[in-house]
Amino acid sequence: MMVYRILSITWANIPVHYALWMLMVYLTDVWKLNLTDAAAIVSVFFGLLTILQSIMLFSTHGLFGNYPVLMGSIFSLCVGMGFLTMSTPPVLAKATGTCSGYQPECIGESQRILFYIALALCALGTAGQAVSLRAFLLEQLGENAISPSIWSLQRYAVILFKAAAVLGFSYISLWSLWFGVPAICYTVAAFIFLSGSCTYKYVKPEGSPITTLFRVFAASISKLFYRLPTDALQLYNISDPGIQCLPHTNGLRYLDKAAIILPDETLEQQLRNRWRLCSVAEVEATKFVIRKFPLCMTYILGGVLTSLSYTYFLEQAKTMNNKVGNLRIPLAVFLWFQFEAREQFQKIYHIFVNWRWGSEAKPSGPRVGVAVSIILGVLCTITAAKVESRRLAMVKIYSLAGETDEKIPMTVFWLLPQYLLLGAADGMFGNSLENYYNMYFEPISASYMITAVNLMHGLGCISNILLVYVVSKVSQRGNKVSWLQDTLNKSRVDKYYWTLSWLLAIAFVLFVVISLWYAYKRSKEEAQTVYVERSVAYVRGEVIYGTTITVGNRRSNNIIAMLPSFG
């Protein structure tokens, strides 16, 4: 019974997600905001949602634990959805003395304040659940106690709730109900979850791996005026014979000062202050993170690409014919198609990796996956540009560029390929990075690396605002009309899509160059590691004939997984 209480939160999240996905339409239809202003608000919301996951993950592992963070997230999302419902014009019309119509003049200052507070609370609650819900479920049941029947139930329940959300929203035309129904569903799920509070286990946080990064920086700064030993073997490392030592690298030598053993104190005295002495393994883990930062910078455009799903793609769908005969197709069905494409391409990626490299993890597999995801992103923006050009041609033919709510006689399913390609790119990208970091880090540490990528992804969503501004200003040169106007029918969003295509192509080239450079550096480090190990074995008089020296992925994975001092 306990597992169903926890899973009820995941089920109630589905209608909430579908409701929030339509914020762009709400802002342009009810608030009557222009195209770029509405897209900016929505991009900041979804970007903030992703960025907050980094803060919430640190709070979970380093401060509070999964249960308090999950409780706070549930409360935040409940209140946020409630405020979002109350911000619609009819709900507080009598209390604020405004009209009850879905018009911008009916939205008072109090409704606007409620709306922005609601977005902040929804972002906080969604981010907290993203990092704590699954971990809390594993804490309660144990990794080995989760039966396949539970996950089968979860899979079928998610499909059922997605179908109910897509079909149910097609019959809702009032925005107060559009936000209110998911708010009620989530509140009911929250009470169901709280009903089992007495039976939940509270697991204290074990510490955050990100603390190790700060410890290495602090220790290296505290030994700023100490000289590094010429022999790296004189640096402090874990002496437990059951723990392999992470190979030392020559890059970023300044950080090696964190592992210097001071001559004027005993080792036991220095180990008491964990902010003054770190092991070589911890220093190398910090180096690994820093070295991957340039690669992560190439992921920012992925956030810009994802932001198209709930901004300009959605605005395109709103202007097109969404009827098949007498049946009206809800726009939320495209979010379902995007999710399905993401899940299916994740499975395709796993099949490809197992076929190409087998069960042994290789770094080239995830790199290929990320490269393919960027290519899919380029194809997505090219397809979107072609479809938008056709849509604008229909606008010109039927003279629909003015202020009108009339639908363009072009079926909305023209947008299906770009949504499928976007979902495929997201699926390949996320799965590739997850597999890549799991090769080098234990699950908790890998989650921070993935969250760091999500941080770049969120910054990409927000940087969409800056990119739109730059594109708009550049397109105005020579007294020309800006590509981005107040409405979609007056804009040239197709040219903006072509700009994204070129930027993604440049990001692909940068990713390939940086990946090849990392591969070259890694091969040199592995060769150096073999040489050092053989030299040490020779000095110790050990017989190494017929033995295998393991370096590379599997070795690094064993090292970092054994770090007891992360946190």
Side-chain angles (χ1 to χ4, degrees):
M1 191 65 183
M2 176 181 62
V3 65
Y4 302 126
R5 294 193 183 100
I6 301 174
L7 291 178
S8 65
I9 295 295
T10 66
W11 302 336
N13 272 326
I14 295 173
V16 169
H17 194 168
Y18 277 80
L20 294 175
W21 187 70
M22 293 288 288
L23 279 173
M24 181 77 175
V25 178
Y26 174 71
L27 291 174
T28 54
D29 282 3
V30 179
W31 285 38
K32 300 299 181 183
L33 295 182
N34 62 44
L35 182 67
T36 54
D37 289 346
I41 293 173
V42 177
S43 297
V44 168
F45 167 70
F46 282 99
L48 185 64
L49 187 154
T50 309
I51 292 172
L52 283 173
Q53 291 183 23
S54 303
I55 301 174
M56 300 304 290
L57 190 65
F58 177 77
S59 300
T60 299
H61 293 155
L63 299 176
F64 306 113
N66 287 305
Y67 182 62
V69 171
L70 182 58
M71 286 290 295
S73 302
I74 292 173
F75 176 77
S76 178
L77 192 53
C78 271
V79 176
M81 288 304 297
F83 282 0
L84 190 60
T85 305
M86 295 167 63
S87 69
T88 56
V91 178
L92 295 179
K94 293 183 178 179
T96 58
T98 57
C99 53
S100 59
Y102 291 104
Q103 300 295 330
E105 56 269 14
C106 297
I107 301 175
E109 190 65 25
S110 56
Q111 281 104 326
R112 294 179 185 275
I113 294 173
L114 275 177
F115 176 80
Y116 289 117
I117 293 176
L119 292 188
L121 290 174
C122 288
L124 185 65
T126 306
Q129 287 185 44
V131 301
S132 63
L133 183 55
R134 180 179 175 84
F136 176 74
L137 179 61
L138 294 177
E139 282 180 354
Q140 302 307 307
L141 300 179
E143 191 108 25
N144 299 324
I146 303 177
S147 63
S149 60
I150 293 177
W151 292 120
S152 297
L153 171 66
Q154 168 71 352
R155 183 168 60 252
Y156 291 123
V158 167
I159 293 174
L160 178 63
F161 274 84
K162 283 182 180 178
V166 170
L167 296 176
F169 280 132
S170 63
Y171 295 100
I172 298 177
S173 58
L174 300 177
W175 284 104
S176 55
L177 292 178
W178 186 277
F179 298 129
V181 171
I184 294 172
C185 293
Y186 192 84
T187 303
V188 171
F191 278 110
I192 294 174
F193 176 81
L194 290 173
S195 65
S197 297
C198 297
T199 62
Y200 298 146
K201 294 184 296 183
Y202 173 66
V203 179
K204 292 183 178 180
E206 297 180 356
S208 170
I210 202 172
T211 307
T212 300
L213 304 182
F214 295 116
R215 285 179 50 231
V216 170
F217 286 126
S220 59
I221 292 173
S222 67
K223 300 172 184 177
L224 181 64
F225 300 105
Y226 286 86
R227 181 173 296 180
L228 280 169
T230 56
D231 188 358
L233 295 177
Q234 297 178 11
L235 298 173
Y236 171 69
N237 211 339
I238 301 174
S239 58
D240 190 341
I243 300 177
Q244 293 177 300
C245 295
L246 190 66
H248 177 263
T249 57
N250 290 325
L252 299 172
R253 291 295 306 275
Y254 169 75
L255 295 177
D256 289 341
K257 292 187 176 183
I260 293 177
I261 301 175
L262 301 179
D264 54 347
E265 296 181 18
T266 63
L267 181 60
E268 290 73 16
Q269 291 176 330
Q270 296 178 54
L271 288 175
R272 291 171 188 165
N273 188 351
R274 298 171 64 246
W275 291 85
R276 289 272 294 170
L277 182 63
C278 302
S279 68
V280 171
E282 293 171 328
V283 172
E284 290 302 320
T286 304
K287 289 181 180 180
F288 183 92
V289 174
I290 295 174
R291 285 168 180 156
K292 295 306 174 186
F293 183 75
L295 198 64
C296 289
M297 293 298 293
T298 63
Y299 306 150
I300 289 181
L301 278 176
V304 177
L305 179 65
T306 303
S307 67
L308 298 177
S309 168
Y310 39 77
T311 53
Y312 299 110
F313 285 4
L314 190 57
E315 195 68 12
Q316 284 178 280
K318 188 189 74 172
T319 63
M320 299 168 73
N321 180 24
N322 64 334
K323 287 188 177 181
V324 178
N326 294 325
L327 179 64
R328 187 166 64 92
I329 305 299
L331 299 183
V333 75
F334 288 102
L335 180 60
W336 181 82
F337 279 121
Q338 181 182 339
F339 283 164
E340 287 301 312
R342 183 171 64 185
E343 293 176 5
Q344 296 307 318
F345 266 79
Q346 287 176 349
K347 296 177 182 178
I348 292 173
Y349 170 77
H350 280 301
I351 294 172
F352 170 75
V353 169
N354 291 332
W355 169 77
R356 177 63 180 83
W357 289 281
S359 58
E360 177 129 4
K362 297 286 185 181
S364 53
R367 286 200 295 266
V368 171
V370 173
V372 171
S373 69
I374 298 176
I375 294 174
L376 290 172
V378 174
L379 294 176
C380 173
T381 49
I382 291 175
T383 303
K386 292 287 188 180
V387 172
E388 178 62 10
S389 297
R390 180 181 176 85
R391 194 192 69 84
L392 290 174
M394 300 294 289
V395 169
K396 185 176 181 180
I397 292 172
Y398 290 92
S399 302
L400 298 175
E403 296 292 335
T404 178
D405 294 331
E406 186 178 350
K407 299 286 186 179
I408 298 170
M410 178 179 174
T411 178
V412 73
F413 285 104
W414 276 94
L415 301 177
L416 183 58
Q418 62 199 58
Y419 270 105
L420 293 178
L421 287 169
L422 180 58
D426 282 343
M428 291 285 287
F429 180 79
N431 228 344
S432 300
L433 289 177
E434 183 177 356
N435 291 342
Y436 181 71
Y437 290 125
N438 282 334
M439 286 194 298
Y440 296 97
F441 292 95
E442 62 174 340
I444 292 180
S445 302
S447 66
Y448 276 86
M449 296 302 299
I450 296 169
T451 304
V453 174
N454 289 336
L455 177 65
M456 295 298 173
H457 197 269
L459 291 175
C461 292
I462 297 176
S463 65
N464 183 38
I465 304 170
L466 177 61
L467 184 59
V468 166
Y469 176 79
V470 172
V471 169
S472 178
K473 290 299 181 182
V474 171
S475 63
Q476 288 179 353
R477 286 183 176 180
N479 294 324
K480 295 180 181 178
V481 179
S482 173
W483 291 349
L484 299 166
Q485 298 293 317
D486 293 342
T487 64
L488 188 69
N489 289 345
K490 296 179 181 178
S491 303
R492 292 302 306 269
V493 180
D494 55 330
K495 294 185 178 181
Y496 177 65
Y497 292 156
W498 281 114
T499 304
L500 285 180
S501 300
W502 283 106
L503 292 175
L504 285 169
I506 295 172
F508 173 77
V509 174
L510 290 176
F511 176 81
V512 171
V513 171
I514 296 174
S515 296
L516 292 176
W517 182 76
Y518 279 146
Y520 170 73
K521 294 287 288 183
R522 180 175 175 77
S523 64
K524 289 185 64 177
E525 289 172 1
E526 288 184 356
Q528 181 185 5
T529 301
V530 173
Y531 175 77
V532 170
E533 287 184 352
R534 289 184 180 272
S535 301
V536 172
Y538 175 78
V539 170
R540 292 177 178 174
E542 297 175 354
V543 179
I544 60 175
Y545 301 107
T547 62
T548 301
I549 299 177
T550 305
V551 295
N553 312 333
R554 190 178 297 247
R555 181 184 180 89
S556 299
N557 187 32
N558 292 339
I559 300 301
I560 302 179
M562 293 301 241
L563 286 181
S565 57
F566 261 38

